[in-house]
Amino acid sequence: MVTAPIHNDSRDGSSSASGAAGSAVLVPGSSTGSPLGSKPGVSAGTGRPDSRPRLVRSRDPEAHPVPTGREEEWRFTPLRRLRGLLTGPAADATVEVSVDAPAPVTVEHVGSGDKRVGRVLTPADRVAAFAMTRAEDVVVVTVPAEAMPDEPVVVRVHGTGGTVYGHLVVEVGAFASATVVLDHTGTATFAGNVELSVGDSASLTLVSLQDWDAGAVHVGAHAARVGRDARFRSFTVTLGGDLVRLSPTVTYAGPGGDAELYGLFFTDAGQHQEHRLLVDHGPRSCRSRVAYKGALRGEGAHAVWIGDVVIGADAVGTDTYELNRNLVLTDGARADSVPNLEISTGEVVGAGHASATGRFDDEALFYLMARGIPADEARRLVVRGFFAEIVDRIEIDSLRERITAAVEAELGGAG
Amino acid sequence: MSTLEIRNLHVSVETDSAEGREILRGVDLTIRRGETHAIMGPNGSGKSTLAYSIAGHPKYTITSGTVTLDGVDVLAMSVDERARAGVFLAMQYPVEVPGVSVSNFLRSSVTAVRGEAPKLRTWVKEVRDSMAALEMDPVFAERSVNEGFSGGEKKRHEILQMALLKPKIAILDETDSGLDVDALRIVSGGIESVRAAGQTGILLITHYTRILRYVKPEFVHVMAGGRIVDSGGPELAAVLEDSGYDRYVKTTEPAGTAA
Ligand SMILES: Nc1ncnc2c1ncn2[C@@H]1O[C@H](COP(=O)(O)OP(=O)(O)OP(=O)(O)O)[C@@H](O)[C@H]1O
Ligand SMILES: [Mg+2]
């Protein structure tokens, strides 16, 4: 594992299947007018100098250029497999959406013109903009201030084929505490956004499960705004689909916010799974932790992890650490891992990251087998151990079991 | 009576060249349950190669010869089948397995080798007692297998596994190396108690005679250049202690780059 504290070099920031690398970019005194998007100083890893065009942020799809695939934001994504989502084809299907919400949580179905749409998320790409403007059934989940429902809110999204736009808004009032499970199953070509507003001193846990059938395409922007002294935890678990590209972002509305972003993905033969994170430390004294772990198996399995952390000039007292580890189980699989840290203040509590991609260790396999453990069980032990750090944090027993079982099912045919 | 028979074993190691490099050049050895054999030899003589070949490490190719356990072909078995058949290898350099706890590992291993999961209550006590005998802190049970263990802790962990698995044949590859005097005494004690039970044939691979003061073999073999070049009783160890391996190394062709 390569760990890079802030006072580190800025060598190659990307790592792929065979190697491991981390990079830290220290930009003392650089002022970023709009920290979202522009990345002065991130040059070593990406080959992009300061002159990179600023990211457009708009809910108007046509304000966003159609990507060619050469853009930093799109260079890893196989555009042809997006099934036209970049051009905004008309929806020709619906997903089955069902919501279990314990009292006093309320659920509304509104149009995309509702004032709560776009409060947290301003789309940074065409797909997110299409999803925001074309979603016909926007689901708004409201957890009233001070409410503490015992049971999680469960939002099930089940695709039955076709192109669908979706948008979910979750608003958690001040001092409230809730867990939301977003469970994607079935198949669809799905552009789906999630906006999460965590009120001051509130606490929200989001579990977003991408448990799609083999053919699904899912592109989504998951934007969270963390209030003053609020706490946000998310678990992004991506298991299925042909192509999944999620962009979780966190911004802070005031000091004292705490965000923990955990992720687990199992990328199988032919699958493209991409997670592009951005944590934007604007106010002072906020904390963020990112830990994503992925296992890859089979020909053409491709996982991409981008971890951008931006620490603005006013964000003194920031404490951030991000980590991505990938376990490559077979030949033919590829993991790209690109951490970026952009710092505009020297007065941080901590800022670091680690990124490592390693092969499944054949010597470890031999060792376990030399103790009588059959090969497939040995692999399960190692992969379960690898993911335990993420899975064990999920507090819902049934989800933990489901994820463990799904990972083991993925391993079932490992050869 | 369990017997491991090694006959005319030739082993090559995979190298960049197509044919590989021959390391073992015809090894013959018979180990019976209850017996203790020591194999001594200079660095690079092929001791670990013999151990790994018996355990089935994929890096080593058997080019001719046989290994049987009670007449059954060991070489036809997969690595895990060999372990379940009763062959145990304590490795010279035990491997780290991040994320897998010692307790989980031991239970999986014992379940596989015994063919059924041990009863929880007796199992907890069994592990605790075995660890105590090796003066291992119980916190090791919750640590990842060999991860961050010192050299001596890894060796104790190997002997712990042998004590729990009660193999028919145990090959201990330089279990004594890297141990200070206290650790050597503790580890030797662990080996002695397995030996005293009389159910295991032990093949002790070592470079030095030091451990033989604690674990007394009935048979001592000298390996050089990929062959057993001399065999005798405990007195042979005393001779080696005094005169070293020089005369064996000079009279045999070295296996490649043997030092
Ligand atoms: N993977 C390998 N590739 C190339 N050569 C190898 C490989 N493994 C072993 N060898 C060579 O085979 C010979 C025997 O090695 P082996 O490890 O069996 O010796 P050893 O007797 O156990 O030595 P030591 O006392 O140092 O442990 C050495 O010359 C070694 O360099
Ligand atoms: Mg050796």
Side-chain angles (χ1 to χ4, degrees), chain B residues 95-251:
Chain B
V95 184
E96 300 190 357
V97 191
V100 178
S101 71
V102 166
S103 67
N104 194 6
F105 162 68
L106 292 177
R107 196 171 161 77
S108 300
S109 169
V110 163
T111 301
V113 169
R114 295 185 190 167
E116 60 177 357
K119 298 242 180 328
L120 198 58
R121 209 178 319 125
T122 53
W123 169 244
V124 171
K125 183 172 162 11
E126 193 182 348
V127 173
R128 206 196 304 114
D129 292 351
S130 302
M131 288 180 80
L134 290 162
E135 298 183 31
M136 285 179 81
D137 192 315
V139 299
F140 276 96
E142 296 320 311
R143 289 179 55 181
S144 289
V145 170
N146 294 325
E147 199 177 38
F149 287 24
S150 71
E153 287 161 355
K154 284 181 180 168
K155 297 300 173 73
R156 286 184 215 200
H157 181 223
E158 296 292 285
I159 298 308
L160 172 68
Q161 294 166 51
M162 176 173 70
L164 292 169
L165 294 174
K166 301 184 175 55
K168 291 178 182 155
I169 302 292
I171 304 162
L172 310 181
D173 190 1
E174 302 221 12
T175 298
D176 54 327
S177 65
L179 298 183
D180 62 26
V181 174
D182 282 341
L184 180 65
R185 182 181 48 74
I186 293 162
V187 163
S188 302
I191 299 170
E192 266 303 310
S193 57
V194 169
R195 174 178 134 117
Q199 297 302 302
T200 301
I202 296 176
L203 178 59
L204 200 65
I205 294 175
T206 182
H207 197 79
Y208 306 102
T209 51
R210 198 173 62 138
I211 192 174
L212 306 184
R213 282 177 230 147
Y214 300 88
V215 183
K216 301 229 183 295
E218 295 102 32
F219 307 93
V220 175
H221 311 274
V222 180
M223 182 171 250
R227 289 194 188 97
I228 305 273
V229 293
D230 202 356
S231 292
E235 74 289 347
L236 184 52
V239 174
L240 292 168
E241 170 100 76
D242 295 336
S243 55
Y245 300 116
D246 281 2
R247 66 189 171 110
Y248 298 110
V249 174
K250 280 181 196 129
T251 57

Side-chain angles (χ1 to χ4, degrees), chain B residues 13-15 21 23-24 41-50 52 59-60 92-93 173-174 205 207 223 255-259:
Chain B
V13 68
E14 267 177 44
T15 55
R21 210 182 110 200
I23 308 292
L24 297 189
N43 290 129
S45 55
K47 304 182 299 292
S48 292
T49 301
L50 176 64
Y52 275 125
K59 215 167 60 183
Y60 300 92
Q92 185 173 3
Y93 303 109
D173 190 1
E174 302 221 12
I205 294 175
H207 197 79
M223 182 171 250
T257 58

Side-chain angles (χ1 to χ4, degrees), chain A residues 31-106:
Chain A
S31 60
T32 57
S34 160
L36 298 174
S38 89
K39 292 201 181 63
V42 181
S43 56
T46 60
R48 288 296 172 125
D50 295 14
S51 58
R52 175 141 61 103
R54 299 215 160 173
L55 215 58
V56 176
R57 300 189 74 84
S58 167
R59 71 158 66 192
D60 174 10
E62 298 313 325
H64 299 275
V66 181
T68 62
R70 286 189 298 275
E71 297 77 6
E72 184 54 35
E73 290 73 18
W74 293 99
R75 68 184 175 112
F76 292 110
T77 313
L79 300 185
R80 269 171 313 173
R81 282 161 61 187
L82 288 172
R83 303 220 189 95
L85 279 179
L86 288 171
T87 57
D92 57 10
T94 54
V95 285
E96 294 161 9
V97 177
S98 65
V99 187
D100 295 342
V105 176
T106 61

Side-chain angles (χ1 to χ4, degrees), chain A residues 325 361-375 377-378 381-382 384-386 388, chain B residues 52 56-57 79-80 83-84 88-89 91 95 97 99-100 104-105 108-109 112-113 145-146 158 161:
Chain A
R325 286 194 61 200
D361 184 355
D362 290 336
E363 293 297 327
L365 182 64
F366 172 74
Y367 188 78
L368 295 174
M369 290 178 72
R371 298 302 179 247
I373 302 170
E377 193 191 336
L381 273 176
V382 170
R384 197 191 294 149
F386 175 72
Chain B
Y52 275 125
H57 195 290
V79 175
D80 52 317
R84 294 199 296 274
F88 178 86
L89 167 62
M91 292 181 206
V95 184
V97 191
V100 178
N104 194 6
F105 162 68
S108 300
S109 169
V113 169
V145 170
N146 294 325
E158 296 292 285
Q161 294 166 51

Side-chain angles (χ1 to χ4, degrees), chain A residues 83-385:
Chain A
R83 303 220 189 95
L85 279 179
L86 288 171
T87 57
D92 57 10
T94 54
V95 285
E96 294 161 9
V97 177
S98 65
V99 187
D100 295 342
V105 176
T106 61
V107 179
E108 296 160 78
H109 294 263
V110 302
S112 60
D114 189 278
K115 64 180 188 318
R116 289 165 294 190
V117 173
R119 266 188 192 164
V120 173
L121 172 69
T122 308
D125 63 58
R126 284 171 70 86
V127 182
F130 281 126
M132 183 176 278
T133 48
R134 297 208 172 164
E136 281 164 19
D137 175 25
V138 174
V139 177
V140 179
V141 172
T142 306
V143 182
E146 297 181 32
M148 296 191 148
D150 294 334
E151 294 294 310
V153 179
V154 181
V155 181
R156 293 189 183 81
V157 175
H158 184 76
T160 53
T163 300
V164 189
Y165 298 94
H167 200 94
L168 169 70
V169 176
V170 177
E171 298 206 329
V172 182
F175 296 100
S177 174
T179 295
V180 174
V181 178
L182 176 56
D183 186 357
H184 302 95
T185 57
T187 190
T189 299
F190 184 63
N193 297 333
V194 178
E195 292 190 67
L196 308 156
S197 171
V198 190
D200 291 350
S201 296
S203 170
L204 172 66
T205 298
L206 171 75
V207 183
S208 181
L209 207 59
Q210 289 66 244
D211 194 8
W212 296 105
D213 291 347
V217 170
H218 179 187
V219 181
H222 290 187
R225 187 174 56 211
V226 179
R228 184 188 179 100
D229 298 325
R231 178 159 199 236
F232 173 58
R233 283 184 130 200
S234 75
F235 296 90
T236 301
V237 178
T238 301
L239 302 168
D242 173 63
L243 185 155
V244 175
R245 185 188 198 267
L246 297 181
S247 304
T249 58
V250 170
T251 53
Y252 298 88
D258 184 1
E260 295 180 357
L261 312 183
Y262 299 105
L264 180 160
F265 49 89
F266 196 112
T267 315
D268 227 320
Q271 286 184 326
H272 179 93
Q273 295 178 340
E274 182 167 347
H275 297 90
R276 310 182 62 88
L277 287 87
L278 169 63
V279 180
D280 183 10
H281 282 271
R284 66 183 165 81
S285 302
C286 292
R287 176 180 178 271
S288 61
R289 289 289 180 274
V290 174
Y292 269 58
K293 289 188 142 188
L296 294 87
R297 194 193 68 151
E299 196 58 39
H302 188 194
V304 179
W305 179 86
I306 310 291
D308 288 349
V309 173
V310 179
I311 302 175
D314 297 330
V316 299
T318 292
D319 179 6
T320 177
Y321 192 82
E322 54 171 351
L323 169 143
N324 170 228
R325 286 194 61 200
N326 299 312
L327 182 60
V328 178
L329 297 170
T330 66
D331 288 336
R334 176 186 168 88
D336 288 290
S337 178
V338 189
N340 293 302
L341 185 55
E342 181 185 318
I343 307 181
S344 305
T345 173
E347 296 169 59
V348 297
V349 172
H353 61 208
S355 159
T357 296
R359 293 286 320 227
F360 185 88
D361 184 355
D362 290 336
E363 293 297 327
L365 182 64
F366 172 74
Y367 188 78
L368 295 174
M369 290 178 72
R371 298 302 179 247
I373 302 170
D376 52 352
E377 193 191 336
R379 279 196 195 86
R380 273 201 296 276
L381 273 176
V382 170
V383 173
R384 197 191 294 149

